[in-house]
């Protein structure tokens, strides 16, 4: 009898050990699982899953997109990094070498890009130059051709229109300079602490439709209240209309994407001869590990995928604009310009074939008056964020912040211009809808950054696989 009880007790004990993980049969959770186990399946407010995005981006889109972004048309971006901060005066400028931006010398930028910073062809560029000269004089010169006068009025009307989501730089300003994006890559600069937190805090606290009484989880400038605070925040977020919820998720996704870039291109070692950049696993875990971030990290990564879908959808919508025969990626090199337009259209048609595009028709639906007011609030909040970029103390961070905000703003402009795009003429100037070269360069480079983030997540997933 005693032997039988001993056997039963031993059996129960063995079952308990196995079930609790003490029997050595159940592997402990890996670092990859803590960061990525919740970043799978379907995304909120979408019919798309993470795995479909990974396959599409990493194997079908990413390599060709990187090739396009290395071309002259897309690598040179004109930006004014000297605009004063419109909100506060006490900006601490980053003195580190890695924060600096090296602008292009005049002879480094292709003549075709310098002579006219946007539009379609050499003939069109000559017309634009004439238009802009007249516009700078403050009036329409009656000696100009009728076509030119019309273009001046139409483009002025467009530039002042309510469809622009960003306050763009004045590229005619003497302070605006061309920057080679390939020579000034986005990576870790050492810009952090209260000054960097202040930028993101103002963006989240004053521009994401959030009342002051609702506290963001893990905000570095607020006293945290742990899990209860996070539950309150997400209960509030889920109660918002889809547009305001999407706004927050776009900003959170952009923030997450930037943090992925900084973790993937981190200064690992510096000597007198060279600097070694690479993946900093610890940095990535601090930003995205589910335990270390109290569940916030995986949410941030899912928002990154949401941002990817929004920009992907915009690119699929704007295909007719780039298909027009008048449009060129004009740099002055006819052979390269033709090859790059062909590559651009290949990429856009690939994007159009994506099977699970985001459906933006739920945005700004319902009562027309209320929808228009909500859209205007949405636009003004985003424009305000574009102005905050001039308050970033690190010039390289400011460069990439301005570019990515302008790129996202251009994507939103496209999504809300569907009828204008559908009514474009097949040839000749498009007065109702057009994109400047600045908008085109920022649109594709911003999406290139998000695409790179998705690719880097695969790299981090592999690196973390055997770490516990």
């Amino acid at each position: 009898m005693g032997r039988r009880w001993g056997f039963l007790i031993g059996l129960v004990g063995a079952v308990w050990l196995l079930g609790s993980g003490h029997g050595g049969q159940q592997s402990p959770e890996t670092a990859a699982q803590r960061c990525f186990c919740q970043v799978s399946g379907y995304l909120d407010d979408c019919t798309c899953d993470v795995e479909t995005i990974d396959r599409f981006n990493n194997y079908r889109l990413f390599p060709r997109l990187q090739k396009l972004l290395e071309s002259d048309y897309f690598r040179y971006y004109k930006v004014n990094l000297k605009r004063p901060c419109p909100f506060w005066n006490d900006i601490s400028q980053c003195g580190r070498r890695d924060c600096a931006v090296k602008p292009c010398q005049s002879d480094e930028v292709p003549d075709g890009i310098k002579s006219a910073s946007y539009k379609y062809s050499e003939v069109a560029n000559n017309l634009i130059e004439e238009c802009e000269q007249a516009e700078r004089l403050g009036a329409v010169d009656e000696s100009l051709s009728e076509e030119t006068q019309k273009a001046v009025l139409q483009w002025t009307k467009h530039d002042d229109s309510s469809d622009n989501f960003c306050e763009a730089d004045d590229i005619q300003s003497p302070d605006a300079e061309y920057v080679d994006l390939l020579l000034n890559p986005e990576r870790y600069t050492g810009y952090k602490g209260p000054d960097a937190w202040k930028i993101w805090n103002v963006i989240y606290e004053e521009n994401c439709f959030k009342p002051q009484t609702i506290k963001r989880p893990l905000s570095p400038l607020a006293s945290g209240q742990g899990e209860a605070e996070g539950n309150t925040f997400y209960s509030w977020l889920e109660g918002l209309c889809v547009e305001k919820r999407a706004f927050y998720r776009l900003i959170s996704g952009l923030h997450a994407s930037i943090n992925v870039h900084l973790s993937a291109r981190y200064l690992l070692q510096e000597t007198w001869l060279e600097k070694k950049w690479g993946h900093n696993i610890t940095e990535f875990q601090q930003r995205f590990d589910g335990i270390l971030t109290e569940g916030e990290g995986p949410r941030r990564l899912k928002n990154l995928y949401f941002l990817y879908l929004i920009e992907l959808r915009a690119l699929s919508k704007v295909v007719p604009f780039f298909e027009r025969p008048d449009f060129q990626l004009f740099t002055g090199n006819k052979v390269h310009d033709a090859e790059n337009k062909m590559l651009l259209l290949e990429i856009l048609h690939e994007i159009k074939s994506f099977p699970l595009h985001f459906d933006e028709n739920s945005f700004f639906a319902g009562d027309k008056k209320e929808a228009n007011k909500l859209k205007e609030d949405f636009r003004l909040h985003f424009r305000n964020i574009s102005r905050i970029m001039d308050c970033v103390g690190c010039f390289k961070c400011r460069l990439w912040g301005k570019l990515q905000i302008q790129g996202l703003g251009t994507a939103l402009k496209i999504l809300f211009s569907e009828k204008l795009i559908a009514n474009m003429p097949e040839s000749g100037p498009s007065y109702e809808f057009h994109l400047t070269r600045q908008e085109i360069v920022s649109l594709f480079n911003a999406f290139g950054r998000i695409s790179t983030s998705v690719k880097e997540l695969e790299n981090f997933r592999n690196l973390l696989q055997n770490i516990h």
Side-chain angles (χ1 to χ4, degrees), residues 392-416:
V392 177
C394 162
F395 285 114
K396 188 169 287 183
C397 308
R398 185 183 298 191
L399 162 67
W400 285 101
K402 286 165 82 80
L403 180 143
Q404 290 177 84
I405 287 292
Q406 185 178 22
L408 177 53
T410 303
L412 295 173
K413 168 184 166 178
I414 292 167
L415 286 179
F416 304 134

Side-chain angles (χ1 to χ4, degrees), residues 343-359:
L343 177 58
L344 173 74
L345 292 178
E346 286 178 9
I347 290 170
L348 289 174
H349 288 144
E350 185 75 67
I351 288 172
K352 201 170 182 180
S353 74
F354 183 71
L356 296 170
H357 272 296
F358 179 80
D359 181 8

Side-chain angles (χ1 to χ4, degrees), residues 60 69 78 93 96 136 146 151 165 173 175 177 191 261 318 354 374 399 426 453 463 468:
R60 293 172 61 181
L69 297 180
K78 198 169 189 182
Q93 299 292 353
R96 297 171 61 92
R136 284 196 296 272
E146 185 177 343
F165 282 75
S173 166
D175 288 332
E177 298 177 290
Y191 178 65
H261 304 154
V318 80
F354 183 71
L374 182 58
L399 162 67
E426 292 185 5
S453 290
L463 289 170
H468 295 282

Side-chain angles (χ1 to χ4, degrees), residues 30-193:
T30 66
Q33 289 171 324
R34 291 198 301 274
C35 289
F36 295 106
C37 70
Q38 297 176 44
V39 188
S40 62
Y42 286 92
L43 298 166
D44 297 337
D45 298 323
C46 302
T47 58
C48 185
D49 59 279
V50 167
E51 292 76 14
T52 298
I53 296 173
D54 284 339
R55 287 192 299 270
F56 179 78
N57 179 76
N58 297 349
Y59 302 108
R60 293 172 61 181
L61 200 59
F62 177 79
R64 281 184 287 179
L65 182 59
Q66 294 306 303
K67 182 180 178 182
L68 181 71
L69 297 180
E70 290 171 2
S71 67
D72 283 352
Y73 187 90
F74 289 99
R75 70 185 289 180
Y76 295 108
Y77 179 66
K78 198 169 189 182
V79 62
N80 183 357
L81 297 176
K82 298 177 183 177
R83 285 179 60 171
C85 171
F87 300 108
W88 57 83
N89 297 320
D90 57 332
I91 299 180
S92 299
Q93 299 292 353
C94 174
R96 297 171 61 92
R97 284 180 298 169
D98 294 324
C99 287
V101 171
K102 182 183 179 183
C104 296
Q105 299 298 316
S106 180
D107 59 351
E108 294 175 335
V109 183
D111 290 337
I113 291 177
K114 286 187 297 184
S115 63
S117 56
Y118 48 92
K119 306 297 189 303
Y120 319 114
S121 64
E122 190 167 10
V123 174
N125 281 334
N126 291 335
L127 173 64
I128 301 304
E129 210 165 272
E130 191 179 356
C131 291
E132 288 174 344
Q133 183 179 3
E135 188 178 348
R136 284 196 296 272
L137 293 174
V140 178
D141 189 337
E142 293 182 358
S143 66
L144 299 176
S145 68
E146 185 177 343
E147 183 182 10
T148 304
Q149 290 184 44
K150 185 178 180 182
V152 171
L153 296 174
Q154 291 286 356
W155 276 316
T156 301
K157 178 182 176 183
H158 167 271
D159 291 337
D160 293 336
S161 76
S162 61
D163 291 328
N164 292 321
F165 282 75
C166 289
E167 186 171 299
D169 284 349
D170 175 12
I171 59 173
Q172 303 299 336
S173 166
D175 288 332
E177 298 177 290
Y178 282 101
V179 173
D180 185 337
L181 298 174
L182 298 184
L183 297 181
N184 294 273
E186 184 181 27
R187 60 191 180 194
Y188 182 80
T189 64
Y191 178 65
K192 57 183 179 180

